[in-house]
Amino acid sequence: MSKVRIYTLAKDLGVENARMLEILDGLGVSYKSVSSTIEEDTVELIKQILAEEQAEGTSAEATAEPTVQAPAEQATPEQPAAAPVPQAKAAPVTDAQGDGGTSEVPHRAPVVTIMGHVDHGKTSLLDYIRKTKVAAKEAGGITQHVGAFEAKTSKGKIVFIDTPGHEAFTTIRARGANVADIAIIVIAADDSLMPQTREAIAHAQAAKVPMIVAINKVDLPQADPERVKTDLTQLNLVPEEYGGDLVVVPVSARTGEGVEDLLEYISLTAELEDLRADPRAAFGGVVIEGKVDKQAGVLATVMVQEGTLHVGDFLVVGENYGKIKAMTDSAGARIKEAGPSTPVQILGFSEVPSSGEKVQSAKNEHAAREVVAGRVDTRRDAENARVQRRLTLEEMMGP
Ligand code: GDP
Ligand code: MG
């Protein structure tokens, strides 16, 4: 044994990656990412530090190192009452500044979007992940296309937005919402960088979301992953193995090769992003897709970002409101409530909401109506002001 990767060591020692990086920072050891390797001497030092910490007892750790001992899974949306700290309710997410505050907000699953050039394999890759990682539930007939799905991996839940392509990503962003935490850029190994690949990269950079490159179709005899890496380097995106910090994972959506690694890298990236959301906060979400179903009526896929949705809740979207009559998860199963990072299909809106519209909840129907009325007023005032300005301008320009 000589060198070891940071995340491998973290896994072996049962420590979160973020904690491992903290220790390395403390030791003044430089690294590029969690997949960087460290020397044996450093490994020994880390083991000593962790051993000392443990000897000091767990009581101190409870406040100083919450990440070490509180697994994200502990605080599920289903158990909001299990908050161990009494002042938890008094410390809302947005006010959480100190370590004590943030540590109470539980982790949430990462939301991932897949972008890339046409025919490079976005749909195939999503299909493969869905087939292997999503336990199909009986939806009682037609499987509705929901626009997002939850994949269960050994590293926890990952939510994929499965309307691949930049349209979904950009329309949502154009409305000021950000749903994706991580962007996967798919590049075919036999084709390398194409115009839409560059566009996808530009979108991810503009949104400031971390990027992971999946070099797809490595099963093809003419696959040339090295060329893809060189081409990326020319865009100033330097793969880790060339000394940069871009994570590049060779995969095949056909054979499944590398897909497990890709999922692992997504989880590692998410862990470093330290994604959290409070299931007890006021509800906030974004519309992924809206549509009319011949039988069911208006259906909207909404990503829960903060808080928890319940059947019966009143929701406001733009200038419309609705009451949740029924909710299904992305596997088509009926659910009664849904916490952060859960895509749900909602029945209960009267108008089809558009992708990217923000959704919030209201206490009751009256409150929902008031919010809508307020928005209508604001829009009319703005319109009137515009008309007024135009009239004044015409007077000034007049004969
Ligand atoms: P998209 O336009 O990016 O969604 O690409 P698709 O998923 O529709 O794939 C385009 C074509 O490439 C299809 O014919 C797929 O069967 C094929 N394809 C996708 N992934 C792979 C792969 O890993 N290996 C091979 N050999 N073919 C693939
Ligand atoms: Mg496609």
Side-chain angles (χ1 to χ4, degrees):
M1 185 190 117
S2 51
K3 284 183 161 191
V4 57
R5 284 191 192 272
I6 297 173
Y7 68 79
T8 314
L9 182 66
K11 198 161 148 189
D12 292 348
L13 298 177
V15 173
E16 286 197 10
N17 287 300
R19 176 66 190 127
M20 198 57 87
L21 297 186
E22 245 173 57
I23 296 175
L24 288 169
D25 288 341
L27 292 172
V29 176
S30 64
Y31 54 85
K32 286 236 154 56
S33 73
V34 285
S35 54
S36 303
T37 53
I38 47 176
E39 303 290 338
E40 201 169 348
D41 296 352
T42 316
V43 173
E44 285 314 312
L45 272 173
I46 292 173
K47 283 183 181 163
Q48 270 176 30
I49 291 172
L50 289 170
E52 279 165 23
E53 264 176 17
Q54 233 165 19
E56 274 165 30
T58 46
S59 58
E61 270 180 23
T63 45
E65 313 295 344
T67 48
V68 178
Q69 36 183 48
E73 296 76 18
Q74 231 170 41
T76 60
E78 289 80 26
Q79 304 160 322
V85 186
Q87 79 261 29
K89 281 200 185 77
V93 213
T94 42
D95 290 346
Q97 279 143 352
D99 283 339
T102 30
S103 64
E104 284 152 22
V105 179
H107 285 103
R108 62 172 179 82
V111 179
V112 177
T113 185
I114 296 203
M115 298 192 283
H117 197 72
V118 65
D119 283 348
H120 278 198
K122 300 177 293 293
T123 304
S124 307
L125 192 56
L126 280 166
D127 284 348
Y128 186 88
I129 295 170
R130 194 203 308 267
K131 259 207 317 270
T132 53
K133 295 291 165 187
V134 178
K137 288 183 202 162
E138 265 313 314
I142 339 137
T143 311
Q144 292 279 355
H145 179 249
V146 164
F149 68 89
E150 297 171 52
K152 301 254 184 316
T153 76
S154 54
K155 291 284 194 160
K157 189 175 96 170
I158 301 174
V159 181
F160 287 90
I161 297 181
D162 83 345
T163 42
H166 318 160
E167 315 80 45
F169 189 68
T170 42
T171 31
I172 290 173
R173 282 228 325 127
R175 289 173 188 268
N178 246 345
V179 267
D181 303 303
I182 297 169
I184 308 295
I185 311 289
V186 175
I187 307 176
D190 60 337
D191 213 15
S192 199
L193 270 73
M194 287 288 133
Q196 282 167 278
T197 318
R198 291 172 215 275
E199 258 176 59
I201 290 170
H203 287 313
Q205 285 173 331
K208 296 196 171 64
V209 291
M211 251 187 293
I212 296 175
V213 169
I215 302 184
N216 190 32
K217 308 196 188 184
V218 292
D219 59 287
L220 291 175
Q222 67 271 35
D224 189 355
E226 287 312 310
R227 182 178 149 217
V228 179
K229 288 178 208 165
T230 318
D231 288 353
L232 283 165
T233 308
Q234 258 142 41
L235 286 184
N236 258 335
L237 296 167
V238 185
E240 279 183 334
E241 60 186 278
Y242 293 1
D245 50 20
L246 179 71
V247 176
V248 175
V249 192
V251 300
S252 165
R254 180 151 296 172
T255 66
E257 178 190 342
V259 174
E260 206 57 51
D261 293 337
L262 178 65
L263 297 175
E264 179 139 337
Y265 274 111
I266 293 171
S267 296
L268 287 170
T269 307
E271 208 179 294
L272 293 180
E273 293 290 299
D274 197 29
L275 306 166
R276 293 167 188 268
D278 192 348
R280 290 162 299 170
F283 165 74
V286 175
V287 175
I288 307 268
E289 256 179 12
K291 64 181 172 196
V292 182
D293 180 87
K294 272 197 208 109
Q295 282 148 28
V298 175
L299 291 173
T301 300
V302 170
M303 182 71 71
V304 180
Q305 297 184 299
E306 288 280 354
T308 302
L309 272 187
H310 312 87
V311 169
D313 284 355
F314 282 92
L315 297 180
V316 180
V317 181
E319 294 182 2
N320 296 297
Y321 75 89
K323 183 184 180 177
I324 305 180
K325 289 190 200 133
M327 262 192 317
T328 45
D329 66 14
S330 57
R334 286 242 175 171
I335 49 171
K336 290 223 159 62
E337 52 176 45
S341 289
T342 313
V344 287
Q345 194 167 63
I346 293 175
L347 180 70
F349 289 110
S350 49
E351 311 252 341
V352 183
S354 318
S355 304
E357 284 196 285
K358 294 196 176 117
V359 192
Q360 60 189 65
S361 65
K363 250 191 284 191
N364 48 39
E365 183 158 16
H366 178 73
R369 268 212 202 108
E370 295 228 305
V371 175
V372 168
R375 287 180 182 177
V376 172
D377 281 350
T378 311
R379 176 177 50 79
R380 290 212 178 118
D381 287 350
E383 279 166 8
N384 287 340
R386 259 200 303 279
V387 170
Q388 208 61 50
R389 268 201 303 278
R390 203 176 312 134
L391 288 177
T392 322
L393 205 63
E394 274 162 18
E395 274 162 29
M396 279 163 48
M397 311 281 279

